[in-house]
């Protein structure tokens, strides 16, 4: 049976539709699966805001929905009204804060797809525990109450610091370092650690404390720890499918080539090596497991269809490393080549000079070069102390601040680009894809030409949609439609406006 | 069908393979590789093999050894730039004119290039040859081993020409410009020395081969 047949007539409750993966998944459902009804769980500002307002704003201004807007024009509002609805939800509250009446009114949900979560590497642990860990727990509880199957979007790096070939299995209650632990007790202890008096008002202190806890169990940072704990909380329950994408990057085709949103893994790294910073502490032979966001959407659709089948998978990876490996060394070189092309076409004289003559390279973290960020920071800090008040001192301080920022960023990335080598098995998604007759829903990550993808799609996409965020710039948004998009049955928006 | 074999280097463009090797070596990813690459190119230029190794193939192998360790990605991406900025910009009018005449005469045009195929996209797009014979690098795990795959262009001879033309070089015309092209030219039914170097010019005069000068 095809994916379209499996999901036809089904109702999906989707969380995190305003996020990067959620948007593309939603666009996919809307465009390619006309038989699916969607209920969006969205957070509202107070009780008075209509949940659909946030959806209307998102669909009207996000580039992810350009193809839909172009196709339906004035009729988009009524068309969307026939396909989706929204419900006020807070994933950080039990049952998303729904009342018993809400639950009764929302019966008939077949699937809960939980995409909501924080993706920063070092967020405030209190927020991350609430959103990533409790959010998944609440989604699982809600799915149970609704009699629905839960598809939980996690991350491949929830596997923690266990190197090697990663199978699609979860040993609930066993940490990445092989230590037995009670997930519920661990979550309680983590919350308690965040509320201890010495860090209660100190976010950095909380990050340090929770990172220490995470590392003791085998997770590299707050993000993977909170996502990992979520898996252990819900993994033992029935009717749960955990989907683990690796590093989610620019779209290949949907909504359009190059689209990206927010600051994800490659964005800051690409920014870093597009500055004068040339030496990236990285293991050149380590896999850099990247998967385009629209392939993640396809994988999610396949997972959803399988979740409703007779043998729902418990866990599947959406990754590229086992069939189409890309190494960090190659990624760094491709980024340098892409920058060279960008500088030739768009850069100034300095850009052309720099990128044509100095390529970024991977260097071992143990043997940093003379221009390593930490050394530059120390030197600039020392220089600022020697200099009197004036522009030189200001320049030294600015350099020290920037170099320290880079050093902190590299420390966050180090487990993923230097210390560990993961290869995630993708047997399940490939098996599901092999059974799928519709080419629109096939897993084709194994066919990606990384050179063409990185130079023609990924780097230009990062430059346009991500890198400006690093230096505090703005990202283009689409003009809101006029008259405003209103998701409601009836006449097209223009007729209503008249 | 009659065939016209055009040597890219010298006949159609100025740049020789050493220029490509130098150009690429100068753009190696690692600074150390630039130094060793450039040194290899210079050594290949200065050290002209003698005796049984004094053929063009050995010279090419030496020259392209400079690119050992270069990634396939770099070769493809920078080769594209080189093809556009150096080869296409350096297209010689007299060679282009001969090429067009061969097209108008309905000859099957074979572009014979010592440059590796990765650098030829732009020129191939412009010339639209019926066939391209170019040097190819051996690639091991995404990187050039520094070795060329046989047959190496630069050491092509009459046997290769006859094999390529289907057993006989009758009906084949070779347009060459260097003394290294002499074995190929002498095996063809007809040949033309285009912008010839000193050795080929002398040979062409002795053999009565037509000579086309730059700007002719």
């Amino acid at each position: 049976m095809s994916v379209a047949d499996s999901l036809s007539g089904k109702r999906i409750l989707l969380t995190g539709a305003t996020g990067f993966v959620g948007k593309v998944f939603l666009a996919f459902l809307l465009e390619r699966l006309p038989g699916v009804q969607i209920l969006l769980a969205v957070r509202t500002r107070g009780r008075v805001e209509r949940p659909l307002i946030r959806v209307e704003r998102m669909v009207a201004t996000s580039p992810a929905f350009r193809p839909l807007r172009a196709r339906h024009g004035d009729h988009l509002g009524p068309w969307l009204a026939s396909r989706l609805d929204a419900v006020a939800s807070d994933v950080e509250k039990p049952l998303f804060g729904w009342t018993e009446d809400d639950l009764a009114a929302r019966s008939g949900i077949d699937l809960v797809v939980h995409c909501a979560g924080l993706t920063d590497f070092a967020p405030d642990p209190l927020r991350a525990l609430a959103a990533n860990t409790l959010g998944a727990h609440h989604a699982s509880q809600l799915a149970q109450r609704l009699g629905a199957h839960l598809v939980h979007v996690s991350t491949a790096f929830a596997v923690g610091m266990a190197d090697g070939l990663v199978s699609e299995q979860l040993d609930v209650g066993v940490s990445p370092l092989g230590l037995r632990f009670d997930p519920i007790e661990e979550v309680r202890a983590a919350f308690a650690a965040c509320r201890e008096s010495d860090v209660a008002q100190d976010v950095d202190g909380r990050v340090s404390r929770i990172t220490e806890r995470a590392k003791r169990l085998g997770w590299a940072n707050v993000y993977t720890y909170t996502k990992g704990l979520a898996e252990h909380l819900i993994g033992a329950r029935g009717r749960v499918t955990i989907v683990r994408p690796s590093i989610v990057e620019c779209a290949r085709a949907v909504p359009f080539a190059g689209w990206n949103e927010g600051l994800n893994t490659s964005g800051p790294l690409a920014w870093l090596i597009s500055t004068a910073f040339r030496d990236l502490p990285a293991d050149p032979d380590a896999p850099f497991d990247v998967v385009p966001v629209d392939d993640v959407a396809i994988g999610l659709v396949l997972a959803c269809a399988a979740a409703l089948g007779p043998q729902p998978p418990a866990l599947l990876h959406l990754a590229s490393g086992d069939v189409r490996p890309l190494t960090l060394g190659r990624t760094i070189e491709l980024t340098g080549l892409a920058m060279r092309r960008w500088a030739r076409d768009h850069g100034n004289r300095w850009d052309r000079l720099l990128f044509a003559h100095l390529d970024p390279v991977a260097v071992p973290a143990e043997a940093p070069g003379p221009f390593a960020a930490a050394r530059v920071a120390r030197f600039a800090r020392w220089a600022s102390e020697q200099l009197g008040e004036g522009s030189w001192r200001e320049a030294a301080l600015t350099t020290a601040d920037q170099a320290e920022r880079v050093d902190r960023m590299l420390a966050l990335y180090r487990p993923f680009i230097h210390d560990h080598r993961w290869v995630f098995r993708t047997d399940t998604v490939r098996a599901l894809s092999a059974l799928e007759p519709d080419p629109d829903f096939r897993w084709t990550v194994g066919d990606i030409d990384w050179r063409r993808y990185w130079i023609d799609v990924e780097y230009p996409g990062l430059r346009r949609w991500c890198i400006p965020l690093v230096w505090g710039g703005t990202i283009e948004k689409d003009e809101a439609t006029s008259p405003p998009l209103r998701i409601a049955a009836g006449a097209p928006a223009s007729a209503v406006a008249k | 069908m009659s065939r016209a074999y055009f040597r890219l280097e010298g006949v159609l463009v100025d740049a020789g393979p050493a220029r490509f090797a130098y150009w690429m070596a100068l753009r190696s990813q690692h600074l150390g590789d630039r130094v060793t690459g450039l040194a290899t190119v210079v050594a290949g230029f200065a050290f002209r093999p003698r005796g049984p190794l004094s053929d063009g193939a050995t010279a090419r192998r030496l020259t392209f050894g400079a690119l050992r360790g270069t990634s396939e990605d770099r070769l493809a991406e920078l080769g594209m730039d080189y093809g556009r900025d150096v080869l296409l910009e350096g297209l010689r009018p007299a060679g282009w004119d001969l090429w067009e005449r061969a097209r108008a005469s309905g000859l099957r045009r074979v572009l014979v290039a010592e440059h590796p195929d990765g650098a030829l996209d732009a020129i191939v797009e412009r010339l639209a040859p019926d066939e391209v014979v170019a040097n190819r690098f051996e690639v091991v795990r995404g990187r050039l081993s520094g070795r060329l795959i046989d047959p190496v262009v630069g050491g092509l001879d009459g046997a290769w020409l006859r094999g390529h033309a289907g057993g006989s070089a009758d009906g084949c015309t070779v347009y060459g410009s260097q003394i290294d092209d002499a074995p190929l030219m002498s095996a063809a039914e007809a040949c033309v020395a285009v912008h010839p170097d000193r050795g080929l010019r002398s040979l062409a005069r002795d053999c009565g081969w037509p000579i086309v000068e730059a700007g002719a």
Side-chain angles (χ1 to χ4, degrees), chain A residues 130 158 206 225 234 237 399 425 439 450:
Chain A
R206 285 201 289 272
Y225 170 70
I234 65 172
R237 294 178 192 158
T399 304
R425 292 191 69 144
W450 287 122

Side-chain angles (χ1 to χ4, degrees), chain A residues 30 39 89 101 108-109 143 171 201 207 220 237 257 341 370 415 427-428 490:
Chain A
L30 289 170
L39 180 61
S89 305
D101 289 344
I109 301 279
D171 205 352
Q201 304 300 322
V207 171
R237 294 178 192 158
R341 186 194 282 190
D427 308 59
T428 307

Side-chain angles (χ1 to χ4, degrees), chain A residues 266-446:
Chain A
S266 297
L269 291 179
W271 164 77
L272 192 57
I273 51 184
S274 62
T275 63
F277 187 86
R278 305 282 83 195
D279 295 349
L280 191 69
D283 174 358
D285 297 324
F288 191 60
D289 202 305
V290 167
V291 60
V293 66
D294 37 353
D295 288 294
V296 172
I298 288 173
L300 261 175
V301 169
L302 287 167
C304 287
L308 295 173
Q311 290 179 311
L315 189 152
L316 67 154
H317 289 137
L318 304 179
S320 58
D322 63 339
V323 290
R324 199 70 169 171
L326 175 68
T327 61
L328 261 165
R330 190 175 180 201
T331 308
I332 292 169
E333 184 171 19
L334 285 173
T335 306
L337 292 169
M339 288 187 318
R340 185 187 286 264
R341 186 194 282 190
W342 176 86
R344 193 190 64 213
D345 296 342
H346 308 287
N348 56 32
R349 200 173 161 190
W350 160 250
D351 291 330
R352 284 195 293 276
L353 190 72
L354 178 72
F355 298 139
H357 294 93
L358 285 175
D359 278 88
V361 291
V363 295
E366 299 78 22
F371 299 107
R375 283 192 175 154
V376 171
R378 274 199 301 276
F379 176 75
R381 194 67 66 195
W382 172 83
S384 70
E385 287 162 8
Q386 311 306 312
L387 296 165
E389 290 295 330
S391 59
W392 283 103
R393 184 164 186 271
E394 287 300 314
L397 282 171
T398 306
T399 304
D401 288 346
Q402 286 178 346
E404 281 165 4
R405 187 177 164 209
V406 166
D407 197 42
R408 280 197 300 274
M409 195 181 101
L410 288 174
L412 276 179
Y413 278 90
R414 183 171 160 154
F416 306 96
I417 64 174
H418 189 277
D419 297 347
H420 298 285
R421 293 183 174 195
W422 295 274
V423 177
F424 305 104
R425 292 191 69 144
T426 57
D427 308 59
T428 307
V429 73
R430 285 187 282 120
L432 294 173
S433 174
L435 298 171
E436 174 56 37
D438 185 346
D440 274 0
F441 298 110
R442 293 223 187 100
W443 180 255
T444 56
V445 166

Side-chain angles (χ1 to χ4, degrees), chain A residues 329-330 332-334 336-337 340-341 344 356-362 451-452 455, chain B residues 26-31 34 70-74 76-78 80-81 84-85 143:
Chain A
R330 190 175 180 201
I332 292 169
E333 184 171 19
L334 285 173
L337 292 169
R340 185 187 286 264
R341 186 194 282 190
R344 193 190 64 213
H357 294 93
L358 285 175
D359 278 88
V361 291
R451 185 194 313 143
R452 292 275 60 89
I455 293 176
Chain B
L26 202 61
R27 288 159 179 80
S28 295
Q29 187 184 13
H30 296 271
L31 294 176
R34 293 184 194 180
T70 301
S71 70
E72 252 187 315
D73 294 327
R74 183 163 290 267
E77 189 64 16
L78 298 188
M80 206 160 59
D81 289 355
R84 190 192 54 239
D85 297 345
R143 296 203 169 264

